[in-house]
């Protein structure tokens, strides 16, 4: 049960002390969007995080191995149209694509299923997440907001990082690619596949390009400010871009609860199918506004795991959406 739901339930049954559900005691997803606004500034009309992006279109075709793992209609083998948004990190819409804070880059995919519903994947180029709870993510953002370049050392951010070694370790796994097409993206949070007999398998997604090309930091810094946003539509005029969607399978004992802990590299990885991107949209700035990608928007045969970040994200993304589309 979500914390806000729990508080409401406690209040309804008379267990909560007066004032427990107060204006300050907001859901963690809302507090995180506030913290993002503090760290990155408020930019009306833009996402609280991953503000700068580009929208493209294509299709997905599943492999037979995918259908064996999950009964999801996504994996039944038909051609599934997709809308994809690639993005830079942070809520700063004018951030240069080659800047360090633009890492991790994001990839959000909306699969338009034959039954008329959508299922989403919202993934990025970190191999694992810096923190394992919504509260820690809020505190990381608040520490960053309280640590401008002229802040006294050690800054609040230095102090937070000292107590959370997974923060620098996670950010060290990301680098600027030479193209959104030449990057590998990771689901990080675990999901559960359910097959036609009800068998369950925890997985983490990997979106694997034809090749990964990372730039040296100095080369990335010297690139034109919109080089990633502009390169992809130009590349698509010359031909499609493909990725293989893969699932890393958890083995017995692998934790699905902690997104700071990658599973060992020797875990089996199954090819779920090919994602082909073949078209830029005419007006990306207009197309991205009504799009809301939700990590927990799933279809029968794919379920959320016990990873607590999924619920927190499902609270934060609509909060950001309603602020950018008032
Ligand atoms: C507690 C953890 C997290 C929180 C609270 C959070 C919050 C947010 C918010 C508020 C947005 C803006 C949403 C919108 O306006 O539509 C966003 C965007 C995004 N996030 Fe997260 N995030 C979290 C973790 C992650 C993780 C683990 C990943 C990747 C595995 C990720 C990838 C992305 C991407 C790719 C976008 C851009 C989506 C788009 O293009 O519309 N986030 N996040």
């Amino acid at each position: 049960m979500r914390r806000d739901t729990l508080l409401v339930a406690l209040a309804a049954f008379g267990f909560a002390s007066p004032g427990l559900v107060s204006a300050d005691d907001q859901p963690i997803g809302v507090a995180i969007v506030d913290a993002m606004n503090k760290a990155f500034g408020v930019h009306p009309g833009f996402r609280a995080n991953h503000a700068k992006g580009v929208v493209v279109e294509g299709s997905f075709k599943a492999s037979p191995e995918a259908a064996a793992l999950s009964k999801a209609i996504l994996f039944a083998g038909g051609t599934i149209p997709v809308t994809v948004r690639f993005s830079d990190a942070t809520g700063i819409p004018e951030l240069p694509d080659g800047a360090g804070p633009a890492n991790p880059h994001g990839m959000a995919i909306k699969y338009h299923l034959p039954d008329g519903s959508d299922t989403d994947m919202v993934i990025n180029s970190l191999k694992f997440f810096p923190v394992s709870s919504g509260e820690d993510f809020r505190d990381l953002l608040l520490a960053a907001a309280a640590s401008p370049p002229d802040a006294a050392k050690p800054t609040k951010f230095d102090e937070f990082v000292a107590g959370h070694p997974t923060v620098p370790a996670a950010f060290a796994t990301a680098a600027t690619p030479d193209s959104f097409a030449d990057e590998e993206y990771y689901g990080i949070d675990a999901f559960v596949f359910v097959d036609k007999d009800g068998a369950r398998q925890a997985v983490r997604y990997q979106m694997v390009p034809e090749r990964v090309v990372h730039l040296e930091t100095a080369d990335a810094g010297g690139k034109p400010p919109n080089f990633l946003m502009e390169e992809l539509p130009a590349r698509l005029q010359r031909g499609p871009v493909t990725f293989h969607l893969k699932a890393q399978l958890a083995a017995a004992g692998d934790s699905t609860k902690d997104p700071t802990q990658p599973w060992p590299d020797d875990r089996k990885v199954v090819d779920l199918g090919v994602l082909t991107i073949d078209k830029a949209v005419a007006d990306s700035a207009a197309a991205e506004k009504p799009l809301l990608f939700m990590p927990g928007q799933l279809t029968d045969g794919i379920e959320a795991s016990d990873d607590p970040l999924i619920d927190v994200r499902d609270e934060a993304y609509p909060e950001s959406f309603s602020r950018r589309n008032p």
Side-chain angles (χ1 to χ4, degrees):
M1 186 186 283
R2 283 185 182 160
R3 186 167 157 273
D4 54 322
T5 321
L6 179 66
L7 288 174
V8 171
L10 286 172
F13 287 97
F15 294 122
S17 58
L20 185 57
V21 185
S22 71
D24 299 325
D25 198 3
Q26 51 186 355
I28 186 64
V30 176
I32 291 173
V33 174
D34 282 344
M36 285 173 168
N37 285 171
K38 278 207 178 92
F40 307 133
V42 176
H43 304 274
F46 289 94
R47 286 160 169 75
N49 198 6
H50 292 268
K52 187 177 179 186
V54 60
V55 180
V56 293
E57 292 171 343
S59 61
F60 173 73
K61 195 157 175 35
S63 67
E65 292 74 23
L69 277 172
S70 164
K71 64 182 174 186
I73 190 172
L74 173 64
F75 299 130
T79 299
I80 311 281
V82 296
T83 304
V84 178
R85 181 175 181 271
F86 290 94
S87 57
D88 292 351
T90 84
I92 305 169
E94 65 277 7
L95 189 72
D97 298 340
N103 289 302
H105 296 279
M107 181 178 187
I109 308 134
K110 203 170 264 299
Y111 299 88
H112 307 294
L113 301 174
D115 66 0
S117 69
D118 291 333
T119 187
D120 297 351
M121 284 176 198
V122 194
I123 63 185
N124 75 22
S125 60
L126 293 176
K127 292 198 167 119
F128 53 92
F129 207 61
V131 291
S132 54
S133 71
E135 285 73 11
D136 276 357
F137 192 37
R138 173 199 60 202
D139 293 347
L140 168 65
L141 289 158
L142 291 177
S147 307
D150 57 353
K153 300 268 177 199
T155 63
K156 294 268 186 234
F157 190 73
D158 295 336
E159 285 169 5
F160 187 88
V161 164
H164 298 83
T166 49
V167 173
F171 284 114
T173 67
T176 306
D178 76 336
S179 164
F180 281 128
D182 294 336
E183 180 59 289
E184 185 159 346
Y185 303 86
Y186 300 89
I188 298 177
D189 295 317
F191 291 85
V192 178
F193 281 175
V194 184
D195 76 9
K196 58 180 182 1
D197 301 319
R200 303 169 68 78
Q201 170 66 55
V203 302
R204 280 175 171 159
Y205 295 119
Q206 303 174 349
M207 190 65 84
V208 182
E210 283 168 33
R211 54 181 199 148
V212 173
V213 184
H214 285 154
L215 302 174
E216 296 297 329
T217 308
D219 292 343
K223 288 279 188 185
N226 301 321
F227 82 100
L228 288 176
M229 305 296 158
E230 288 166 0
E231 189 271 349
L232 187 60
R235 180 184 284 232
L236 293 174
Q237 292 201 328
R238 301 194 301 273
V241 162
T242 57
F243 291 87
H244 280 260
L245 174 65
K246 301 190 178 187
Q248 185 189 27
L249 309 190
D254 287 344
S255 168
T256 47
K257 270 192 193 153
D258 188 349
T260 67
Q261 299 301 316
W263 296 333
D265 283 339
D266 65 2
R267 293 295 180 264
K268 189 172 174 192
V269 174
V270 176
D271 196 328
L272 299 176
V274 176
L275 185 87
T276 304
I277 295 172
D278 53 14
K279 192 165 161 272
V281 300
D283 185 350
S284 180
E288 70 180 15
K289 288 196 190 307
L291 280 171
L292 172 59
F293 298 91
M294 290 271 286
Q297 173 140 323
L298 304 172
T299 187
D300 193 28
I302 307 174
E303 296 179 5
S305 71
D306 56 358
D307 182 329
L309 288 199
I310 300 171
D311 271 359
V312 175
R313 295 176 71 189
D314 272 358
E315 204 166 61
Y317 290 53
E319 176 66 21
S320 167
F321 180 86
S322 62
R323 292 185 195 190
R324 64 185 164 87
N325 289 305

